[in-house]
């Protein structure tokens, strides 16, 4: 029996588009099943005066690829709570998805969607 235990990963998703969204996602990885469970926090339409924020629980799976520099791919889904800061106070539920393709240092590319807003992003490990 292997001594592998859960480990924690925290990733930054940063859109290269001006006004695009950004997100941090932190998840636990079960190395025996490659199951992912965690929480995402981010902004939609970043850079606007009253940028909506979101938070979401998410779960999914990760797989080893065997491809050159891209060694891991993963996807998570959940339900996000999108909130508006003052003066437009309010919140609503929206579907959330995130996916990534990364190297052994957890750097690569990915995307995330909150409702109709989808962002292609650079993905990097947060220490």
């Amino acid at each position: 029996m292997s001594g592998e235990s859960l480990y924690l990963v925290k990733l930054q998703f940063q859109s290269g588009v001006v006004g695009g969204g950004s997100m941090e996602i932190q998840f636990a990885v079960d190395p025996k099943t490659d199951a992912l469970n965690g929480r995402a926090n981010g902004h939609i339409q970043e850079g606007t005066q009253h940028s909506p924020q979101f938070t979401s629980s998410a779960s999914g799976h990760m797989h080893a690829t065997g491809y050159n520099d891209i060694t891991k791919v993963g996807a998570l889904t959940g339900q996000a709570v999108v909130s508006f800061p003052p003066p437009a106070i309010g919140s609503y539920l929206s579907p959330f998805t995130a996916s990534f393709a990364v190297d052994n240092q957890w750097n690569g590319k990915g995307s995330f969607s909150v409702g109709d807003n989808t962002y292609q992003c650079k993905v990097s490990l947060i220490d």
Side-chain angles (χ1 to χ4, degrees):
M1 189 157 141
S2 173
E4 294 183 54
S5 60
L6 294 176
Y7 62 94
L8 191 63
V9 175
K10 189 172 184 181
L11 298 176
Q12 171 72 42
F13 280 60
Q14 189 66 47
S15 172
V17 176
V18 174
S22 67
M23 169 183 77
E24 287 185 6
I25 188 165
Q26 181 171 306
F27 53 85
V29 179
D30 182 341
K32 295 176 187 172
T33 63
D34 288 328
L36 308 176
N37 286 292
R39 186 154 206 70
N41 299 299
H43 292 273
I44 301 170
Q45 300 168 351
E46 194 168 79
T48 59
Q49 187 174 7
H50 303 289
S51 174
Q53 301 175 22
F54 70 91
T55 184
S56 177
S57 295
S59 61
H61 282 88
M62 180 174 69
H63 302 282
T65 66
Y67 297 126
N68 301 324
D69 292 338
I70 302 301
T71 58
K72 302 173 198 57
V73 294
L76 299 104
T77 61
Q79 192 76 6
V81 176
V82 180
S83 301
F84 295 92
I89 299 171
S91 58
Y92 63 93
L93 289 175
S94 186
F96 168 81
T97 62
S99 61
F100 58 84
V102 295
D103 60 18
N104 282 332
Q105 289 74 42
W106 295 91
N107 297 309
K109 295 182 180 183
S111 67
F112 73 94
S113 297
V114 179
D116 294 335
N117 300 290
T118 300
Y119 303 101
Q120 300 298 317
C121 298
K122 175 183 170 189
V123 176
S124 56
L125 182 67
I126 300 172
D127 294 326

